[in-house]
Amino acid sequence: MNSHPLLTPIRRLAFVGSLLALLLLANSQVQASIPIHFAPADGPVVTVQLDGFIDPNAARYVARAIDEATEAEAELLVVKLNTPGGLSASAREIVSSILESPVLVAVLVTPRGAQAASAGMFILAAANIAAMSPGTNVGAASPIDATGQDVPETLAAKVLQDTQAFARSIAEARGRDPAPLEAAITESRSYSAVEAINLGIADVLAADLRDLLHEIRELPGLTGSENRYLDLLDAPVQPIERTLLEHFLSVVATPNLAFILLTVGGIALLIELSNPGLVVPGVTGAIALGLGFVGLGQLPVNWLGVALLLIALGLLFLEFQEPGAGVYGAGAGVSFIVAAILLAGGALRPVELDFPGAETFTVSVWVIAAMGAILAALTVTLIVMAKTGKPVPYRSPFDRRSMVGNRAHVTRRLAPDGEVQMLGEFWHARVDTSDEPDAAIEEGYAVEVTAVDGTTLTVRPAADQPDPDRPGATQPPSSA
């Protein structure tokens, strides 16, 4: 008896389905037979807090943390990140430190509301484990110039290509998809935490450090073996804080404060040099200048601006020495303004080294205006004091014409110029050399006025005493 023709294909499908089910069951049994081990933590979990702008001080802080984590044989270094951006040069240093780190590095964008914008995106992508808290975002890494504006069109292609290559190199090193990173550069794209995980920019979603350590237990391969997972839930947590020196440098290494310290310190020193012995301006100026140069040493400044600032202070010193001219003061003002623009204002700085956030490393226009106003007020004060404070020339109450023929006594040797006293006043005097060109009259001799020219008296020896121009005639006669 023949079976129904429709039953043959059904039997075949049932047979194939049975085979697939057996294969899947066998595969699951094989996988289940491979034991999964959790590697216990032998070292601590080291944490660092990277808040604020990415600057040279932040780069040194991360490098030091990696060194200390290596010495402590830490299992994991967690960088808690929250940054609006900063300098590309500093971001590249941090990325290089993370990629070269012998310790496993996790970057966690936290707390809720935090961001890893611009330069921070590259730091997050460079981590072995990129984690983000709910409510955080990452991206918007289009390069800008140092004033916060878009890169000029002539440089845009070069800058974008360099930044895209930087993003691709990080993605290749960590096995990430470079496309969303490049979109953040070329299109200024930003991503939420969930979007970043779906696009492969981030690996896990973690609310805090404890949540991150729990998520790490689910990530295979961190120990170098696919069936060994890292268990850090019971590992001791060791935070690395910024040192007192790093806190101090983070305060003084701001362009506005460094500029103010240099200006005030220079003016204080000029006051001390113009009035030796005041001490307080000299000490204050030396300390302020020292702190200003320490701050500038931490910043990407244009040292031509520093040189012009010193020139401005030098011209102001010349104005102190010759007040009233105003030329030195005007030159100091011009040099001061140019120095402020060049010092850390973005001029002549390579634009390809900047990301959003770099504009904080410029000198504020208001600070320049305030310091310029102080400098101008000081210069104007000097000019006014010089104009109004000049002593009025002394005018003798005696009629100059009546002085001719009067007697005077030499108070400073006339050879031929000197000084005489007459009628209770001291006058500049000159010997009448019409008869003897080499005539000289010693101090104490009596003389007679022959002419008056302004404040200078022309005199000759009095007629009732010997000729005083003889060599050795150093004492006046008794009649003098």
Side-chain angles (χ1 to χ4, degrees):
M1 179 177 174
N2 294 330
S3 60
H4 195 279
L6 292 177
L7 294 178
T8 300
I10 293 175
R11 291 192 185 101
R12 290 176 181 175
L13 287 174
F15 178 73
V16 172
S18 301
L19 280 178
L20 289 175
L22 289 173
L23 288 174
L24 290 174
L25 179 62
N27 184 54
S28 63
Q29 290 177 347
V30 170
Q31 289 183 346
S33 65
I34 300 176
I36 296 176
H37 302 286
F38 287 95
D42 295 327
V45 173
V46 175
T47 64
V48 296
Q49 190 75 41
L50 193 59
D51 289 332
F53 294 101
I54 304 300
D55 58 10
N57 197 36
R60 286 190 293 270
Y61 173 45
V62 173
R64 179 176 65 84
I66 290 176
D67 291 339
E68 292 189 15
T70 303
E71 292 178 2
E73 297 182 349
E75 295 286 351
L76 179 69
L77 170 65
V78 179
V79 179
K80 298 179 181 179
L81 181 64
N82 181 16
T83 177
L87 299 175
S88 175
S90 300
R92 287 174 183 265
E93 289 182 26
I94 295 176
V95 167
S96 177
S97 297
I98 293 176
L99 293 178
E100 295 290 334
S101 172
V103 178
L104 200 66
V105 177
V107 173
L108 173 62
V109 183
T110 192
R112 295 175 186 268
Q115 60 180 336
S118 63
M121 183 191 74
F122 300 98
I123 298 173
L124 177 68
N128 300 95
I129 305 167
M132 298 181 67
S133 296
T136 59
N137 64 280
V138 61
S142 297
I144 59 172
D145 68 15
T147 61
Q149 305 300 318
D150 291 335
V151 177
E153 184 177 355
T154 54
L155 293 173
K158 172 187 172 183
V159 174
L160 288 177
Q161 288 180 9
D162 179 71
T163 310
Q164 285 178 273
F166 182 43
R168 288 195 300 271
S169 65
I170 296 174
E172 292 170 0
R174 293 306 187 203
R176 305 188 190 283
D177 184 3
L181 297 178
E182 293 189 68
I185 298 169
T186 58
E187 304 172 18
S188 297
R189 292 284 302 275
S190 292
Y191 309 101
S192 67
V194 174
E195 290 173 336
I197 292 174
N198 292 335
L199 294 172
I201 297 177
D203 302 314
V204 296
L205 192 68
D208 52 26
L209 177 61
R210 179 74 180 179
D211 198 9
L212 173 63
L213 298 181
H214 184 272
E215 292 293 334
I216 287 176
R217 293 182 84 247
E218 308 298 327
L219 297 179
L222 296 180
T223 61
S225 174
E226 291 296 331
N227 66 329
R228 289 181 64 83
Y229 290 73
L230 192 59
D231 186 2
L232 300 175
L233 288 176
D234 297 326
V237 177
Q238 178 181 325
I240 296 180
E241 305 292 343
R242 290 181 186 256
T243 63
L244 181 61
L245 176 61
E246 288 170 337
H247 280 295
F248 172 75
L249 290 178
S250 66
V251 173
V252 299
T254 56
N256 287 331
L257 181 57
F259 182 70
I260 292 173
L261 288 172
L262 283 180
T263 305
V264 173
I267 293 175
L269 275 185
L270 292 182
I271 294 175
E272 178 67 29
L273 291 175
S274 301
N275 301 273
L278 293 180
V279 179
V280 174
V283 174
T284 304
I287 294 175
L289 277 179
L291 293 177
F293 279 112
V294 168
L296 288 180
Q298 314 302 312
L299 297 170
V301 299
N302 187 330
W303 289 99
L304 176 60
V306 178
L308 284 174
L309 181 60
L310 296 178
I311 291 174
L313 295 175
L315 291 173
L316 187 61
F317 176 72
L318 293 178
E319 184 68 34
F320 280 10
Q321 299 304 306
E322 298 184 25
V327 177
Y328 295 129
V334 173
S335 298
F336 177 84
I337 294 174
V338 176
I341 295 173
L342 292 179
L343 185 63
L348 303 183
R349 277 176 54 190
V351 295
E352 61 265 33
L353 297 184
D354 293 323
F355 285 117
E359 58 269 23
T360 191
F361 298 97
T362 63
V363 179
S364 169
V365 175
W366 297 108
V367 172
I368 296 175
M371 291 294 101
I374 293 174
L375 193 67
L378 183 62
T379 303
V380 170
T381 301
L382 288 173
I383 295 174
V384 171
M385 289 177 61
K387 297 293 186 183
T388 61
K390 286 183 177 179
V392 178
Y394 174 76
R395 297 185 63 85
S396 175
F398 302 104
D399 184 10
R400 283 175 168 76
R401 290 174 296 180
S402 65
M403 293 180 183
V404 177
N406 286 345
R407 287 172 64 92
H409 291 276
V410 179
T411 56
R412 190 172 67 245
R413 185 175 186 268
L414 304 176
D417 291 276
E419 183 185 71
V420 299
Q421 183 181 15
M422 183 182 64
L423 302 175
E425 297 175 335
F426 292 91
W427 292 78
H428 179 260
R430 180 179 298 113
V431 178
D432 185 356
T433 57
S434 58
D435 296 332
E436 295 188 31
D438 297 331
I441 303 178
E442 303 297 331
E443 181 179 337
Y445 277 91
V447 294
E448 181 180 332
V449 178
T450 59
V452 180
D453 182 14
T455 58
T456 301
L457 305 180
T458 302
V459 299
R460 65 186 177 189
D464 59 348
Q465 61 184 342
D467 186 4
D469 62 347
R470 297 191 306 273
T474 58
Q475 296 296 326
S478 58
S479 61

